[in-house]
Amino acid sequence: MKKKDSSLFLTSEFARLCHTTKDTLFHYDDIGLLKPHLVKENGYRYYSIDQLYLYEIIYELKGIGCSLDEIRQYLNFQSEVTFSDFLSRKEDDLREELIRIHRSMEFMENTRHMMDDAASAVPEIPEIISLPDKYMVVTPKSSQNRLTQRRNAEVMQDHFHFCEEEMKINNFPYGHIIFRETLYSGEINDAYIFSYYPGIPDESICQKTGYRMHTDPALQPKDVRMMLQPAGTYISAYHFGSRETIGLTYQNIFQFIDKNRMRITGNAYELNIVSFLSAHDTKQRVTQVMIRVEASDRS
């Protein structure tokens, strides 16, 4: 009987040393990532000592977020230069991932805060609030006619996709912008869908969205993908239920504005705090309506 080569390991032995499974090694073999050093006629697979270090490279690169395909490509052209370049690219990827995680944490914290506020709010009762500048990623709809359900769904999906893939932000909570000119018409038609953008957009974001930092938001062209909800005094009220019944909330706000001798100076913003994301029943949904105002000149 031939003596077994002490520098080689059976698949089971190699898996044990690497703290992995035989199935993982079989998969790595199938995709050409880590093939056995030797396969005998009886089908037994053997791995070498050097491949222990190769497995460690694979394990570490997986740990920093590399895909198996990326690792395979790197190993095929392995050198000090390519490794440095490879790490630089992955460092950039991890930095982007950290930004995404930070924004996700911020989203969860802000959403919980808004839901807590909504839970303690009195439905339909307006109040005066003060808001800072808030940047919004927007998707245009129509301020003239209501969209069909099909077209509305298409616009919503376009908005969600743009937020997630192009802007790398959470699209929830999302909302609707209603132009000031249509507020008293009796038809509360939304002109844009919006999601808040965290922080202040830099030049690259402005170029991507067509936003002009020093332009009056009312003058922004229809194809921009970012707008500003300007700082100021707002009348806010929480609407509980379907958007189809939101007219009562607007009536209460208009009456509050007249009673307090104010006038509307900006668009209306409907923020869906409890939306289909967390409530299937439309009766359980909560929308915050915000309209920018200032003191009226009337005596």
Side-chain angles (χ1 to χ4, degrees):
M1 176 182 259
K2 256 188 179 179
K3 188 175 179 183
K4 175 185 169 184
D5 188 339
S6 61
S7 67
L8 296 177
F9 305 94
L10 284 165
T11 303
S12 57
E13 296 172 322
F14 192 79
R16 186 181 71 254
L17 287 170
C18 296
H19 299 280
T20 188
T21 66
K22 290 171 63 175
D23 286 342
T24 297
L25 296 178
F26 292 153
H27 179 58
Y28 288 177
D29 182 10
D30 289 340
I31 65 175
L33 180 60
L34 179 60
K35 302 189 77 67
H37 177 76
L38 174 68
V39 180
K40 292 194 173 181
E41 293 181 0
N42 60 8
Y44 281 19
R45 306 171 184 222
Y46 291 88
Y47 293 83
S48 69
I49 291 175
D50 287 343
Q51 287 181 302
L52 286 171
Y53 305 112
L54 182 57
Y55 179 85
E56 284 304 313
I57 293 174
I58 295 170
Y59 179 82
E60 292 299 330
L61 292 179
K62 277 184 62 183
I64 63 173
C66 298
S67 69
L68 296 182
D69 185 57
E70 287 177 316
I71 298 172
R72 183 176 62 243
Q73 291 181 37
Y74 162 69
L75 293 177
N76 288 338
F77 303 97
Q78 189 174 6
S79 72
E80 289 185 8
V81 174
T82 55
F83 187 58
S84 177
D85 292 342
F86 185 78
L87 289 180
S88 294
R89 291 196 302 272
K90 294 315 296 182
E91 185 178 7
D92 291 339
D93 291 343
L94 287 173
R95 192 172 287 111
E96 287 187 7
E97 181 67 8
L98 283 173
I99 292 173
R100 188 194 66 78
I101 292 172
H102 174 75
R103 287 178 176 171
S104 294
M105 294 292 291
E106 187 177 55
F107 154 75
M108 289 187 286
E109 181 180 355
N110 290 341
T111 301
R112 281 199 304 268
H113 179 70
M114 287 188 294
M115 292 181 72
D116 289 343
D117 285 347
S120 60
V122 179
E124 325 297 349
I125 302 300
E127 62 177 342
I128 300 173
I129 63 172
S130 180
L131 294 179
D133 282 339
K134 291 188 176 184
Y135 293 92
M136 306 171 292
V137 178
V138 302
T139 300
K141 294 183 71 175
S142 170
S143 61
Q144 302 299 324
N145 302 300
R146 288 188 180 275
L147 301 181
T148 64
Q149 286 188 335
R150 178 187 179 89
R151 180 57 188 148
N152 188 68
E154 292 172 347
V155 172
M156 292 285 288
Q157 287 305 310
D158 172 58
H159 178 75
F160 294 158
H161 178 81
F162 186 79
C163 288
E164 294 165 356
E165 301 301 324
E166 299 296 329
M167 303 299 292
K168 309 301 182 185
I169 66 169
N170 293 294
N171 50 60
F172 291 99
Y174 73 98
H176 306 271
I177 302 174
I178 294 85
F179 285 154
R180 175 179 56 181
E181 293 75 15
T182 67
L183 286 177
Y184 286 111
S185 68
E187 288 291 330
I188 309 297
N189 292 337
D190 50 322
Y192 289 89
I193 302 171
F194 77 89
S195 296
Y196 285 127
Y197 180 83
I200 299 175
D202 59 24
E203 184 177 349
S204 65
I205 294 297
C206 291
Q207 290 177 351
K208 181 184 292 188
T209 60
Y211 181 69
R212 301 170 188 174
M213 289 291 287
H214 302 292
T215 299
D216 184 338
L219 302 179
Q220 295 282 349
K222 283 288 287 182
D223 59 349
V224 299
R225 299 303 298 261
M226 178 166 282
M227 288 185 175
L228 175 70
Q229 180 181 355
T233 300
Y234 284 77
I235 305 304
S236 168
Y238 289 93
H239 172 70
F240 287 65
S242 167
R243 191 163 183 265
E244 297 300 319
T245 60
I246 204 168
L248 175 61
T249 302
Y250 276 97
Q251 289 178 21
N252 290 343
I253 290 176
F254 296 154
Q255 291 173 6
F256 183 89
I257 291 173
D258 288 340
K259 181 179 179 180
N260 288 274
R261 297 184 177 181
M262 296 175 171
R263 63 187 182 91
I264 296 175
T265 58
N267 302 325
Y269 302 87
E270 299 176 4
L271 183 62
N272 297 300
I273 294 176
V274 179
S275 64
F276 66 85
L277 181 66
S278 52
H280 178 71
D281 186 353
T282 58
K283 295 179 181 178
Q284 297 178 349
R285 296 180 186 174
V286 181
T287 303
Q288 183 184 15
V289 179
M290 297 165 282
I291 302 179
R292 190 165 180 260
V293 298
E294 64 181 26
S296 172
D297 294 333
R298 292 179 302 173
S299 57

